[in-house]
Amino acid sequence: MDLKERAKQLKTDIPALYLCLKSKETPVFPKILAAITVAYALSPVDLIPDFIPVLGYLDDIFLLPALIALIIRLIPKETLWQFREEAKGLWENGRPKKWYFAIPIIAVWLCILWLAVGLLLNP
């Protein structure tokens, strides 16, 4: 599978993972990872902001596909196949952007900022 085909597959895999969250056949650990991945994919805020040269796109290029690949290996093949078929046209008009999905990312950045300020003020 070349890079272009893999990128197209990701557009189907993210909605399929979203649908797997609702399935009783999906084990608990993959559901948790899928929830984190889908929330991160739909979040308008990135862990590494895109305006940072090169590093800003690393999370989109490596982190998201790596999480998706891990989850795909953990979900039963029949369940994943079923939801891939169901998800094919789900987000044709683009992915929805939900601001409440940004809350965990903002919380991580606030913790990092709090730790950094604490280290600077108390050497």
Side-chain angles (χ1 to χ4, degrees), residues 35-75:
I36 292 168
T37 304
V38 169
Y40 185 72
L42 296 179
S43 172
V45 178
D46 287 340
L47 192 59
I48 303 170
D50 289 342
F51 64 82
I52 298 173
V54 181
L55 291 177
Y57 292 105
L58 287 180
D59 60 339
D60 297 329
I61 294 171
F62 294 111
L63 181 66
L64 203 53
L67 282 172
I68 291 171
L70 174 66
I71 296 165
I72 287 172
R73 289 189 178 167
L74 296 174
I75 293 176

Side-chain angles (χ1 to χ4, degrees), residues 1-122:
M1 184 179 286
D2 70 347
L3 191 60
K4 193 173 186 178
E5 289 175 4
R6 185 67 192 136
K8 273 187 181 180
Q9 186 67 39
L10 282 176
K11 287 183 179 182
T12 305
D13 284 345
I14 293 173
L17 293 180
Y18 175 74
L19 294 172
C20 283
L21 289 172
K22 300 176 184 179
S23 173
K24 292 179 181 176
E25 292 89 31
T26 307
V28 175
F29 183 64
K31 273 189 182 183
I32 293 169
L33 284 177
I36 292 168
T37 304
V38 169
Y40 185 72
L42 296 179
S43 172
V45 178
D46 287 340
L47 192 59
I48 303 170
D50 289 342
F51 64 82
I52 298 173
V54 181
L55 291 177
Y57 292 105
L58 287 180
D59 60 339
D60 297 329
I61 294 171
F62 294 111
L63 181 66
L64 203 53
L67 282 172
I68 291 171
L70 174 66
I71 296 165
I72 287 172
R73 289 189 178 167
L74 296 174
I75 293 176
K77 291 186 188 318
E78 301 82 28
T79 305
L80 182 65
W81 182 82
Q82 171 192 351
F83 288 122
R84 272 185 176 164
E85 289 298 316
E86 193 175 323
K88 280 195 177 176
L90 192 62
W91 293 344
E92 281 183 352
N93 299 328
R95 68 180 185 171
K97 292 192 179 196
K98 306 288 186 186
W99 279 99
Y100 54 83
F101 287 133
I103 292 171
I105 307 302
I106 292 170
V108 167
W109 274 108
L110 288 175
C111 287
I112 291 170
L113 182 65
W114 180 69
L115 288 172
V117 169
L119 289 173
L120 288 174
L121 295 178
N122 298 321

